[in-house]
Amino acid sequence: MTNTSRLIGVDVDLVVAPSDEGWIEYLEYYNGFGAKVQFDQLPYDLSKVYPNVNDPMQYWRTLDYFQFWPIAGSVKALEQLSQYFGIVFVSRTNGSHSKSKYYWLNEHFPFMTEYVVVHNKGVLEKAFECMIDDRLSVLQGFPQHKRVLFETPYTQDADCGVQYSFSEWNEDVVKKICEMYLK
């Protein structure tokens, strides 16, 4: 039985949905007949390395999440965590893809407790045992003991300490989160 009195916040993009893969393909295509741009470090705003794309954010406004499979291990790990915590997906959105995201989450994570769309995720800080996100700038809105970083290859736009970080979903992540937040 799910314990919804203890909630975990989970970001969607790049934490459970590999939406950046589609954006890279989109930008490469519209940058000039499929021309690939070479770079050493990836900024979160990939449009900076694809200067020839007229409207790089068009991708996000019309994104259909059903082109993606969840990030490896995320469904199993979050389903295991849902035995102890309510799983609340939290997203910041600026396009019409919010419905697509919700239906995608509902299909792949039917055990989720809720899906919340907010401008500032930090306003939910008191509701969660922890927040799992890939952006340190988002995690800054939470006390350090609630910050859980899902590591990505992108350069961070902020610097702050985190309680725990991981780069792939697996059994060890489930055990560690339970150890830290089921006290």
Side-chain angles (χ1 to χ4, degrees):
M1 179 191 289
T2 302
N3 180 350
T4 56
S5 65
R6 292 177 179 247
L7 303 174
I8 291 179
V10 182
D11 180 36
V12 179
D13 293 298
L14 282 71
V15 176
V16 296
S19 50
D20 59 331
E21 293 172 3
W23 198 28
I24 291 169
E25 290 174 14
Y26 175 89
L27 291 170
E28 285 177 349
Y29 179 80
Y30 287 104
N31 191 55
F33 304 105
K36 292 187 182 249
V37 173
Q38 300 298 319
F39 43 85
D40 295 326
Q41 288 191 310
L42 300 168
Y44 270 98
D45 183 357
L46 290 171
S47 67
K48 292 179 180 181
V49 294
Y50 292 94
N52 298 327
V53 179
N54 270 348
D55 185 5
M57 298 304 170
Q58 175 66 20
Y59 169 79
W60 293 104
R61 289 191 297 274
T62 59
L63 178 57
D64 178 2
Y65 279 80
F66 283 96
Q67 67 183 301
F68 306 118
W69 287 104
I71 290 176
S74 62
V75 174
K76 182 178 180 182
L78 287 169
E79 186 171 26
Q80 290 172 340
L81 286 169
S82 76
Q83 295 173 31
Y84 308 100
F85 303 94
I87 305 299
V88 178
F89 288 102
V90 184
S91 188
R92 294 187 302 186
T93 188
N94 61 355
S96 61
H97 68 276
S98 186
K99 283 184 182 180
S100 168
K101 189 183 287 189
Y102 169 77
Y103 289 117
W104 183 85
L105 287 167
N106 202 38
E107 180 173 310
H108 294 287
F109 302 89
F111 51 84
M112 75 174 173
T113 303
E114 190 61 68
Y115 169 59
V116 179
V117 178
V118 295
H119 177 71
N120 174 4
K121 294 178 187 179
V123 301
L124 300 169
E125 175 267 316
K126 290 187 182 353
F128 298 140
E129 300 297 317
C130 69
M131 177 69 195
I132 303 171
D133 207 295
D134 61 300
R135 302 281 301 256
L136 288 176
S137 58
V138 169
L139 292 174
Q140 277 183 317
F142 294 81
Q144 182 169 342
H145 71 277
K146 292 187 176 190
R147 297 176 189 159
V148 177
L149 178 67
F150 183 80
E151 299 168 355
T152 66
Y154 299 96
T155 57
Q156 293 289 341
D157 54 356
D159 187 22
C160 67
V162 298
Q163 186 67 22
Y164 177 60
S165 66
F166 64 99
S167 59
E168 61 183 53
W169 290 97
N170 57 40
E171 188 72 31
D172 292 337
V173 170
V174 173
K175 288 178 186 173
K176 186 66 174 177
I177 290 175
C178 286
E179 283 175 15
M180 291 188 307
Y181 299 107
L182 284 177
K183 296 176 185 175

